[in-house]
Amino acid sequence: MSTATGYYRAGTSWLHRRNPLTKLLAVAWVLLATFLLSPVVLPVLAVVLVIVAVSTGLGVPILRALRIPAVLVASIVVVNALFFPGATDRLVSLGPLAITREGLTFGLISAGRVLVAFMALVSFLFTTLADDLLESLVARGASHRIAFVVLSAVQMVPRMQERAGSILDAQQARGLAVTGSFVHRIRALVPLIGPVLLGSLIDVRERTFALEARGFGARPGRSAYRVVADPPGDRWIRLAILGGIVGVVALALSGVLGR
């Protein structure tokens, strides 16, 4: 993973060729449908996202990425199944605790929403170059400062992972043992936290100086060296997605497919 490309996976699929704003609107539609509409839409959205992942050749990478929210999803199900307030329909008794139907249902629905949202966001990150997203936002009139904040957020985790890997390699070369039991590995992380945080602060300062030296806040007449493709069909797709967003909001407000 490169700090310049973030999570982006190079490819020539139909989703890679879409304009970043088109994909960003599609993600917004998925998130709204996931959290505003009835849970009955979750399986449909999940199937659609799986088809999209397979058709773009990202099925395996996205499947591997699902390990990231695994603990969160499991905790959502377990905590709600055992401690859902006001639940009365007990399914399984576990001593003083019990798995309730209401809690299990709510936990599964919440976990499903998290998984669908995660899959949509990961598909977007895997097929969208962060620099293209920044240029697309600025070209549509967005503040270059806001666009830079979005770019920094996308690149933050890859930067920290790369820095942590470099520091860990350097400490291992100096004799730090990072293998062994789970407790031993946790202890090995303690001398890693300080350099990573300090390095992140230094990186922020250096990037600030570099941006100021390049006239980041200069106005007017800004120009860009990157030209992001925007196929004519994408404009119609964006209009359709905007209509879909309005439709989702209308359905949620009307209560037809609301939560």
mmCIF file of all heavy atoms in Angstrom, residues 137-175:
data_model
loop_
_atom_site.group_PDB
_atom_site.id
_atom_site.type_symbol
_atom_site.label_atom_id
_atom_site.label_comp_id
_atom_site.label_asym_id
_atom_site.label_seq_id
_atom_site.Cartn_x
_atom_site.Cartn_y
_atom_site.Cartn_z
ATOM 1 N N LEU A 137 -13.389 17.354 -7.002
ATOM 2 C CA LEU A 137 -14.106 18.218 -6.072
ATOM 3 C C LEU A 137 -13.792 19.691 -6.328
ATOM 4 O O LEU A 137 -14.688 20.539 -6.353
ATOM 5 C CB LEU A 137 -13.755 17.844 -4.633
ATOM 6 C CG LEU A 137 -14.282 16.494 -4.125
ATOM 7 C CD1 LEU A 137 -13.699 16.172 -2.754
ATOM 8 C CD2 LEU A 137 -15.803 16.502 -4.067
ATOM 9 N N VAL A 138 -12.506 19.995 -6.531
ATOM 10 C CA VAL A 138 -12.111 21.384 -6.775
ATOM 11 C C VAL A 138 -12.679 21.874 -8.100
ATOM 12 O O VAL A 138 -13.128 23.020 -8.220
ATOM 13 C CB VAL A 138 -10.570 21.502 -6.757
ATOM 14 C CG1 VAL A 138 -10.132 22.905 -7.181
ATOM 15 C CG2 VAL A 138 -10.035 21.189 -5.367
ATOM 16 N N ALA A 139 -12.676 21.015 -9.115
ATOM 17 C CA ALA A 139 -13.195 21.412 -10.426
ATOM 18 C C ALA A 139 -14.683 21.715 -10.383
ATOM 19 O O ALA A 139 -15.189 22.487 -11.202
ATOM 20 C CB ALA A 139 -12.919 20.305 -11.448
ATOM 21 N N ARG A 140 -15.404 21.120 -9.418
ATOM 22 C CA ARG A 140 -16.850 21.376 -9.291
ATOM 23 C C ARG A 140 -17.137 22.535 -8.354
ATOM 24 O O ARG A 140 -18.285 22.766 -7.994
ATOM 25 C CB ARG A 140 -17.559 20.117 -8.791
ATOM 26 C CG ARG A 140 -17.543 18.961 -9.771
ATOM 27 C CD ARG A 140 -18.200 19.329 -11.098
ATOM 28 N NE ARG A 140 -18.366 18.192 -11.972
ATOM 29 C CZ ARG A 140 -17.411 17.636 -12.706
ATOM 30 N NH1 ARG A 140 -16.191 18.118 -12.652
ATOM 31 N NH2 ARG A 140 -17.669 16.617 -13.496
ATOM 32 N N GLY A 141 -16.101 23.255 -7.935
ATOM 33 C CA GLY A 141 -16.307 24.440 -7.116
ATOM 34 C C GLY A 141 -16.148 24.242 -5.630
ATOM 35 O O GLY A 141 -16.362 25.186 -4.861
ATOM 36 N N ALA A 142 -15.778 23.032 -5.209
ATOM 37 C CA ALA A 142 -15.571 22.816 -3.779
ATOM 38 C C ALA A 142 -14.324 23.550 -3.294
ATOM 39 O O ALA A 142 -13.385 23.778 -4.068
ATOM 40 C CB ALA A 142 -15.430 21.313 -3.490
ATOM 41 N N SER A 143 -14.328 23.943 -2.049
ATOM 42 C CA SER A 143 -13.165 24.619 -1.481
ATOM 43 C C SER A 143 -11.959 23.687 -1.536
ATOM 44 O O SER A 143 -12.055 22.504 -1.215
ATOM 45 C CB SER A 143 -13.457 25.007 -0.026
ATOM 46 O OG SER A 143 -12.267 25.409 0.635
ATOM 47 N N HIS A 144 -10.807 24.237 -1.974
ATOM 48 C CA HIS A 144 -9.610 23.410 -2.044
ATOM 49 C C HIS A 144 -9.160 22.958 -0.661
ATOM 50 O O HIS A 144 -8.529 21.920 -0.518
ATOM 51 C CB HIS A 144 -8.481 24.167 -2.748
ATOM 52 C CG HIS A 144 -8.128 25.465 -2.082
ATOM 53 N ND1 HIS A 144 -8.878 26.606 -2.237
ATOM 54 C CD2 HIS A 144 -7.107 25.795 -1.256
ATOM 55 C CE1 HIS A 144 -8.332 27.597 -1.537
ATOM 56 N NE2 HIS A 144 -7.256 27.125 -0.932
ATOM 57 N N ARG A 145 -9.532 23.724 0.357
ATOM 58 C CA ARG A 145 -9.189 23.311 1.724
ATOM 59 C C ARG A 145 -10.012 22.092 2.149
ATOM 60 O O ARG A 145 -9.486 21.146 2.737
ATOM 61 C CB ARG A 145 -9.412 24.472 2.695
ATOM 62 C CG ARG A 145 -8.543 25.694 2.395
ATOM 63 C CD ARG A 145 -8.746 26.787 3.417
ATOM 64 N NE ARG A 145 -8.000 27.982 3.054
ATOM 65 C CZ ARG A 145 -6.718 28.190 3.338
ATOM 66 N NH1 ARG A 145 -6.053 27.275 4.017
ATOM 67 N NH2 ARG A 145 -6.105 29.306 2.961
ATOM 68 N N ILE A 146 -11.312 22.129 1.837
ATOM 69 C CA ILE A 146 -12.159 20.980 2.158
ATOM 70 C C ILE A 146 -11.708 19.760 1.367
ATOM 71 O O ILE A 146 -11.649 18.635 1.885
ATOM 72 C CB ILE A 146 -13.636 21.299 1.866
ATOM 73 C CG1 ILE A 146 -14.127 22.416 2.799
ATOM 74 C CG2 ILE A 146 -14.499 20.053 2.020
ATOM 75 C CD1 ILE A 146 -15.546 22.842 2.539
ATOM 76 N N ALA A 147 -11.368 19.965 0.093
ATOM 77 C CA ALA A 147 -10.904 18.861 -0.738
ATOM 78 C C ALA A 147 -9.622 18.255 -0.182
ATOM 79 O O ALA A 147 -9.435 17.033 -0.188
ATOM 80 C CB ALA A 147 -10.688 19.341 -2.172
ATOM 81 N N PHE A 148 -8.747 19.118 0.339
ATOM 82 C CA PHE A 148 -7.497 18.609 0.914
ATOM 83 C C PHE A 148 -7.758 17.832 2.196
ATOM 84 O O PHE A 148 -7.083 16.839 2.474
ATOM 85 C CB PHE A 148 -6.538 19.760 1.184
ATOM 86 C CG PHE A 148 -5.235 19.312 1.792
ATOM 87 C CD1 PHE A 148 -4.283 18.659 1.022
ATOM 88 C CD2 PHE A 148 -4.973 19.521 3.133
ATOM 89 C CE1 PHE A 148 -3.091 18.231 1.580
ATOM 90 C CE2 PHE A 148 -3.780 19.100 3.702
ATOM 91 C CZ PHE A 148 -2.836 18.449 2.917
ATOM 92 N N VAL A 149 -8.742 18.263 2.975
ATOM 93 C CA VAL A 149 -9.104 17.521 4.189
ATOM 94 C C VAL A 149 -9.595 16.129 3.816
ATOM 95 O O VAL A 149 -9.236 15.129 4.458
ATOM 96 C CB VAL A 149 -10.176 18.283 4.983
ATOM 97 C CG1 VAL A 149 -10.742 17.404 6.099
ATOM 98 C CG2 VAL A 149 -9.590 19.559 5.572
ATOM 99 N N VAL A 150 -10.407 16.034 2.749
ATOM 100 C CA VAL A 150 -10.890 14.733 2.287
ATOM 101 C C VAL A 150 -9.718 13.870 1.847
ATOM 102 O O VAL A 150 -9.631 12.675 2.179
ATOM 103 C CB VAL A 150 -11.894 14.915 1.135
ATOM 104 C CG1 VAL A 150 -12.286 13.560 0.553
ATOM 105 C CG2 VAL A 150 -13.134 15.643 1.633
ATOM 106 N N LEU A 151 -8.795 14.460 1.084
ATOM 107 C CA LEU A 151 -7.623 13.715 0.617
ATOM 108 C C LEU A 151 -6.782 13.235 1.795
ATOM 109 O O LEU A 151 -6.322 12.084 1.811
ATOM 110 C CB LEU A 151 -6.782 14.603 -0.297
ATOM 111 C CG LEU A 151 -5.470 14.002 -0.820
ATOM 112 C CD1 LEU A 151 -5.756 12.814 -1.721
ATOM 113 C CD2 LEU A 151 -4.652 15.054 -1.570
ATOM 114 N N SER A 152 -6.585 14.088 2.783
ATOM 115 C CA SER A 152 -5.781 13.702 3.944
ATOM 116 C C SER A 152 -6.431 12.573 4.726
ATOM 117 O O SER A 152 -5.753 11.670 5.220
ATOM 118 C CB SER A 152 -5.573 14.914 4.863
ATOM 119 O OG SER A 152 -4.881 15.951 4.181
ATOM 120 N N ALA A 153 -7.767 12.622 4.832
ATOM 121 C CA ALA A 153 -8.470 11.558 5.552
ATOM 122 C C ALA A 153 -8.305 10.218 4.842
ATOM 123 O O ALA A 153 -8.133 9.174 5.489
ATOM 124 C CB ALA A 153 -9.955 11.909 5.679
ATOM 125 N N VAL A 154 -8.347 10.228 3.500
ATOM 126 C CA VAL A 154 -8.198 8.990 2.738
ATOM 127 C C VAL A 154 -6.797 8.423 2.895
ATOM 128 O O VAL A 154 -6.597 7.203 2.966
ATOM 129 C CB VAL A 154 -8.523 9.239 1.254
ATOM 130 C CG1 VAL A 154 -8.176 8.022 0.408
ATOM 131 C CG2 VAL A 154 -9.994 9.587 1.089
ATOM 132 N N GLN A 155 -5.802 9.299 2.965
ATOM 133 C CA GLN A 155 -4.411 8.857 3.001
ATOM 134 C C GLN A 155 -3.861 8.687 4.418
ATOM 135 O O GLN A 155 -2.747 8.205 4.588
ATOM 136 C CB GLN A 155 -3.525 9.856 2.253
ATOM 137 C CG GLN A 155 -3.796 9.926 0.761
ATOM 138 C CD GLN A 155 -2.888 10.912 0.064
ATOM 139 O OE1 GLN A 155 -2.371 11.842 0.684
ATOM 140 N NE2 GLN A 155 -2.689 10.721 -1.227
ATOM 141 N N MET A 156 -4.640 9.045 5.430
ATOM 142 C CA MET A 156 -4.113 9.050 6.794
ATOM 143 C C MET A 156 -3.705 7.651 7.258
ATOM 144 O O MET A 156 -2.589 7.445 7.745
ATOM 145 C CB MET A 156 -5.161 9.624 7.753
ATOM 146 C CG MET A 156 -4.698 9.645 9.208
ATOM 147 S SD MET A 156 -5.955 10.336 10.306
ATOM 148 C CE MET A 156 -7.266 9.112 10.120
ATOM 149 N N VAL A 157 -4.607 6.682 7.125
ATOM 150 C CA VAL A 157 -4.310 5.330 7.600
ATOM 151 C C VAL A 157 -3.149 4.704 6.838
ATOM 152 O O VAL A 157 -2.238 4.122 7.454
ATOM 153 C CB VAL A 157 -5.575 4.454 7.538
ATOM 154 C CG1 VAL A 157 -5.238 3.004 7.898
ATOM 155 C CG2 VAL A 157 -6.643 4.989 8.483
ATOM 156 N N PRO A 158 -3.115 4.774 5.485
ATOM 157 C CA PRO A 158 -1.932 4.228 4.789
ATOM 158 C C PRO A 158 -0.626 4.871 5.226
ATOM 159 O O PRO A 158 0.397 4.182 5.340
ATOM 160 C CB PRO A 158 -2.232 4.522 3.309
ATOM 161 C CG PRO A 158 -3.715 4.594 3.234
ATOM 162 C CD PRO A 158 -4.152 5.205 4.520
ATOM 163 N N ARG A 159 -0.648 6.170 5.471
ATOM 164 C CA ARG A 159 0.573 6.837 5.926
ATOM 165 C C ARG A 159 1.017 6.303 7.284
ATOM 166 O O ARG A 159 2.206 6.016 7.504
ATOM 167 C CB ARG A 159 0.349 8.353 6.016
ATOM 168 C CG ARG A 159 0.371 9.067 4.678
ATOM 169 C CD ARG A 159 0.126 10.555 4.862
ATOM 170 N NE ARG A 159 0.252 11.266 3.613
ATOM 171 C CZ ARG A 159 1.391 11.725 3.113
ATOM 172 N NH1 ARG A 159 2.517 11.554 3.803
ATOM 173 N NH2 ARG A 159 1.434 12.345 1.963
ATOM 174 N N MET A 160 0.077 6.152 8.194
ATOM 175 C CA MET A 160 0.432 5.667 9.525
ATOM 176 C C MET A 160 0.887 4.212 9.476
ATOM 177 O O MET A 160 1.808 3.813 10.195
ATOM 178 C CB MET A 160 -0.758 5.824 10.473
ATOM 179 C CG MET A 160 -1.137 7.267 10.752
ATOM 180 S SD MET A 160 -2.346 7.446 12.084
ATOM 181 C CE MET A 160 -1.365 6.971 13.498
ATOM 182 N N GLN A 161 0.256 3.409 8.614
ATOM 183 C CA GLN A 161 0.672 2.015 8.483
ATOM 184 C C GLN A 161 2.087 1.914 7.932
ATOM 185 O O GLN A 161 2.899 1.112 8.411
ATOM 186 C CB GLN A 161 -0.304 1.260 7.577
ATOM 187 C CG GLN A 161 -1.649 0.981 8.221
ATOM 188 C CD GLN A 161 -2.577 0.234 7.296
ATOM 189 O OE1 GLN A 161 -2.450 0.300 6.072
ATOM 190 N NE2 GLN A 161 -3.538 -0.485 7.861
ATOM 191 N N GLU A 162 2.390 2.729 6.924
ATOM 192 C CA GLU A 162 3.730 2.687 6.348
ATOM 193 C C GLU A 162 4.770 3.171 7.353
ATOM 194 O O GLU A 162 5.856 2.581 7.468
ATOM 195 C CB GLU A 162 3.785 3.549 5.077
ATOM 196 C CG GLU A 162 5.125 3.480 4.371
ATOM 197 C CD GLU A 162 5.118 4.212 3.048
ATOM 198 O OE1 GLU A 162 4.050 4.725 2.655
ATOM 199 O OE2 GLU A 162 6.174 4.278 2.401
ATOM 200 N N ARG A 163 4.443 4.220 8.103
ATOM 201 C CA ARG A 163 5.383 4.726 9.105
ATOM 202 C C ARG A 163 5.590 3.698 10.222
ATOM 203 O O ARG A 163 6.711 3.472 10.668
ATOM 204 C CB ARG A 163 4.864 6.041 9.683
ATOM 205 C CG ARG A 163 5.826 6.673 10.701
ATOM 206 C CD ARG A 163 5.327 8.012 11.183
ATOM 207 N NE ARG A 163 5.279 8.973 10.092
ATOM 208 C CZ ARG A 163 4.143 9.397 9.531
ATOM 209 N NH1 ARG A 163 2.976 8.936 9.955
ATOM 210 N NH2 ARG A 163 4.168 10.267 8.552
ATOM 211 N N ALA A 164 4.499 3.071 10.658
ATOM 212 C CA ALA A 164 4.609 2.062 11.711
ATOM 213 C C ALA A 164 5.443 0.882 11.241
ATOM 214 O O ALA A 164 6.260 0.340 12.002
ATOM 215 C CB ALA A 164 3.222 1.595 12.136
ATOM 216 N N GLY A 165 5.284 0.477 9.975
ATOM 217 C CA GLY A 165 6.085 -0.617 9.441
ATOM 218 C C GLY A 165 7.557 -0.281 9.397
ATOM 219 O O GLY A 165 8.416 -1.117 9.750
ATOM 220 N N SER A 166 7.881 0.952 8.989
ATOM 221 C CA SER A 166 9.286 1.373 8.937
ATOM 222 C C SER A 166 9.904 1.416 10.321
ATOM 223 O O SER A 166 11.038 0.960 10.537
ATOM 224 C CB SER A 166 9.383 2.745 8.269
ATOM 225 O OG SER A 166 8.877 2.715 6.943
ATOM 226 N N ILE A 167 9.158 1.954 11.292
ATOM 227 C CA ILE A 167 9.669 2.040 12.664
ATOM 228 C C ILE A 167 9.849 0.649 13.252
ATOM 229 O O ILE A 167 10.842 0.363 13.936
ATOM 230 C CB ILE A 167 8.729 2.895 13.528
ATOM 231 C CG1 ILE A 167 8.723 4.346 13.041
ATOM 232 C CG2 ILE A 167 9.132 2.843 14.998
ATOM 233 C CD1 ILE A 167 7.692 5.226 13.722
ATOM 234 N N LEU A 168 8.883 -0.241 12.977
ATOM 235 C CA LEU A 168 8.970 -1.598 13.503
ATOM 236 C C LEU A 168 10.177 -2.343 12.927
ATOM 237 O O LEU A 168 10.891 -3.044 13.651
ATOM 238 C CB LEU A 168 7.691 -2.358 13.189
ATOM 239 C CG LEU A 168 7.507 -3.715 13.871
ATOM 240 C CD1 LEU A 168 7.511 -3.548 15.383
ATOM 241 C CD2 LEU A 168 6.217 -4.374 13.412
ATOM 242 N N ASP A 169 10.429 -2.148 11.631
ATOM 243 C CA ASP A 169 11.608 -2.774 11.013
ATOM 244 C C ASP A 169 12.895 -2.242 11.634
ATOM 245 O O ASP A 169 13.838 -3.002 11.888
ATOM 246 C CB ASP A 169 11.603 -2.515 9.503
ATOM 247 C CG ASP A 169 10.488 -3.277 8.795
ATOM 248 O OD1 ASP A 169 9.971 -4.248 9.378
ATOM 249 O OD2 ASP A 169 10.141 -2.888 7.657
ATOM 250 N N ALA A 170 12.930 -0.927 11.873
ATOM 251 C CA ALA A 170 14.127 -0.332 12.467
ATOM 252 C C ALA A 170 14.352 -0.840 13.892
ATOM 253 O O ALA A 170 15.486 -1.129 14.291
ATOM 254 C CB ALA A 170 14.005 1.194 12.463
ATOM 255 N N GLN A 171 13.256 -0.983 14.652
ATOM 256 C CA GLN A 171 13.404 -1.464 16.020
ATOM 257 C C GLN A 171 13.788 -2.947 16.056
ATOM 258 O O GLN A 171 14.545 -3.376 16.928
ATOM 259 C CB GLN A 171 12.101 -1.226 16.785
ATOM 260 C CG GLN A 171 11.819 0.256 17.052
ATOM 261 C CD GLN A 171 10.531 0.465 17.806
ATOM 262 O OE1 GLN A 171 9.691 -0.420 17.860
ATOM 263 N NE2 GLN A 171 10.360 1.654 18.376
ATOM 264 N N GLN A 172 13.271 -3.719 15.113
ATOM 265 C CA GLN A 172 13.671 -5.119 15.041
ATOM 266 C C GLN A 172 15.158 -5.243 14.696
ATOM 267 O O GLN A 172 15.845 -6.127 15.209
ATOM 268 C CB GLN A 172 12.841 -5.853 13.980
ATOM 269 C CG GLN A 172 11.440 -6.220 14.431
ATOM 270 C CD GLN A 172 10.705 -7.014 13.377
ATOM 271 O OE1 GLN A 172 10.171 -6.476 12.413
ATOM 272 N NE2 GLN A 172 10.678 -8.322 13.557
ATOM 273 N N ALA A 173 15.640 -4.355 13.812
ATOM 274 C CA ALA A 173 17.059 -4.378 13.456
ATOM 275 C C ALA A 173 17.943 -4.047 14.649
ATOM 276 O O ALA A 173 19.123 -4.433 14.681
ATOM 277 C CB ALA A 173 17.322 -3.390 12.316
ATOM 278 N N ARG A 174 17.375 -3.346 15.637
ATOM 279 C CA ARG A 174 18.129 -2.993 16.841
ATOM 280 C C ARG A 174 17.908 -3.988 17.978
ATOM 281 O O ARG A 174 18.296 -3.725 19.110
ATOM 282 C CB ARG A 174 17.757 -1.586 17.290
ATOM 283 C CG ARG A 174 18.243 -0.497 16.337
ATOM 284 C CD ARG A 174 17.657 0.862 16.689
ATOM 285 N NE ARG A 174 18.231 1.936 15.891
ATOM 286 C CZ ARG A 174 17.842 2.231 14.657
ATOM 287 N NH1 ARG A 174 16.897 1.512 14.073
ATOM 288 N NH2 ARG A 174 18.411 3.228 13.993
ATOM 289 N N GLY A 175 17.227 -5.113 17.681
ATOM 290 C CA GLY A 175 17.105 -6.164 18.674
ATOM 291 C C GLY A 175 15.773 -6.270 19.371
ATOM 292 O O GLY A 175 15.638 -7.065 20.303
#
